Amino acid sequence: MFENIKKDYINHNKEFLNVGFFAMVVYRFGRWRYGIKNKIIRKPLSFVYKLLYFNIKNHGIELPCEVILGGNFQIHHNGGIMVSGYTQFGNNCIIRNGVTIGAARIDKVEAPTIGNNVNIGTGAKILGGIVIGNNVDIGANAVVLKDIPNNCIAVGIPARIIKKDKY
């Protein structure tokens, strides 16, 4: 946990009071407490996690500890960020304010799987059990409802896919 927090601190420009960094600390703490087998110890830590998580939600970041994050995950600009607990991220992903990632339908438990080196622009919506490839840029306010292959850019509503070599 502490090694990951140290990396998160560096990824967030060594700004201790950065809300994105604090969200990562809460996320790491939440994941860490799952590893504690003794229920008598884990229960109070779960209560502390829920208090901290509620605080982060009040700052506009909903990043539950059930999300699978790769290395070097960064939150740029807090506010309005909602990530489903079923989402998976690869390494070196950046997420910005106003982003929603989760289910496309209320009657299905699904969430996107996001590859490595994905840059998610402000206000983007990524919905459904879709796969976002590696080295993908998702433009501001794009609404992504289908898979995106590697090395592409997704822009618009609904998002259209542009190969990076044509851009």
Side-chain angles (χ1 to χ4, degrees), residues 48-118:
V48 170
Y49 167 73
K50 288 181 189 213
L51 289 175
L52 293 169
Y53 183 70
F54 181 75
N55 185 9
I56 287 299
K57 280 178 66 173
N58 284 337
H59 282 90
I61 299 174
E62 192 168 335
L63 181 67
C65 64
E66 292 79 16
V67 173
I68 304 297
L69 295 181
N72 298 321
F73 184 83
Q74 294 180 47
I75 299 171
H76 285 225
H77 311 296
N78 65 302
I81 295 172
M82 299 185 74
V83 180
S84 166
Y86 298 102
T87 305
Q88 296 181 30
F89 287 89
N91 297 321
N92 305 314
C93 292
I94 299 173
I95 189 171
R96 290 179 176 76
N97 58 311
V99 170
T100 300
I101 302 173
R105 297 173 34 180
I106 195 167
D107 60 337
K108 266 189 160 178
V109 178
E110 61 183 5
T113 299
I114 298 172
N116 298 320
N117 307 312
V118 176

Side-chain angles (χ1 to χ4, degrees), residues 20-32:
F21 168 67
F22 187 61
M24 293 303 297
V25 170
V26 172
Y27 168 83
R28 302 288 183 203
F29 176 74
R31 300 280 300 175
W32 172 79

